């Protein structure tokens, strides 16, 4: 089994910063793309930022220039540095990892439990 554990959420004022971290543990062959998603009540989960195993990043337009995703392949962690936070960034943020548990099986998506980020105006 693969577990993703997030940390770093909380309450911050508009314009402030937070850093989210996610650590993957368990038995697996390789972690492919890692990502952060977010979800607000009544809405679908949306992609915020992704990073491939090679370090290629992609950001949603609404966070470009404010958020930075990074990963440590040796530690199997992914982080999201969030700067210039806005009230509309308030959401539950989820870590995602596309994991190949064994070399001859297809990869599977795993999710963290979510961490609340609240930005006050």
């Amino acid at each position: 089994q693969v577990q993703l554990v997030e940390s770093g959420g909380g309450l911050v004022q508009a314009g402030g910063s937070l850093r989210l971290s996610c650590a993957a543990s368990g038995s697996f062959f390789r972690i492919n793309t890692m990502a952060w998603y977010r979800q607000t009540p009544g809405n679908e989960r949306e992609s915020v930022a992704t990073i491939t195993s090679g370090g290629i990043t992609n950001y949603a337009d609404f966070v470009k220039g404010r958020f930075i995703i990074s990963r440590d392949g040796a530690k199997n962690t992914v982080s999201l540095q969030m700067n210039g936070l806005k009230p509309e960034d308030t959401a539950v943020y989820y870590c995602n990892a596309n994991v190949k548990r064994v070399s001859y099986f297809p990869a599977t998506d795993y999710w963290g439990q979510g961490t609340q980020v609240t930005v006050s105006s």
Side-chain angles (χ1 to χ4, degrees):
Q1 192 59 280
V2 177
Q3 295 84 36
L4 299 179
V5 178
E6 301 134 338
S7 60
L11 173 65
V12 65
Q13 289 188 332
S17 298
L18 281 175
R19 184 177 180 86
L20 306 181
S21 296
C22 173
S25 63
S27 176
F28 47 84
F29 173 70
R30 184 179 67 230
I31 300 177
N32 296 322
T33 297
M34 301 186 82
W36 288 95
Y37 286 70
R38 70 187 190 186
Q39 188 172 23
T40 53
N43 293 308
E44 292 189 355
R45 196 169 295 186
E46 61 183 358
S47 176
V48 175
T50 64
I51 184 166
T52 68
S53 57
I56 297 173
T57 59
N58 189 54
Y59 297 92
D61 286 344
F62 51 79
V63 302
K64 281 182 180 177
R66 299 188 298 126
F67 291 10
I68 300 172
I69 188 171
S70 60
R71 68 188 284 178
D72 184 329
K75 297 180 179 179
N76 297 316
T77 59
V78 62
S79 297
L80 186 68
Q81 177 66 41
M82 305 185 293
N83 303 317
L85 283 160
K86 305 175 181 180
E88 51 264 42
D89 292 319
T90 295
V92 177
Y93 284 71
Y94 295 91
C95 174
N96 168 271
N98 184 259
V99 181
K100 206 169 179 62
R101 292 197 63 194
V102 293
S103 61
Y104 47 86
F105 276 2
T108 303
D109 276 344
Y110 290 87
W111 295 89
Q113 79 283 0
T115 184
Q116 177 71 45
V117 171
T118 303
V119 184
S120 62
S121 57

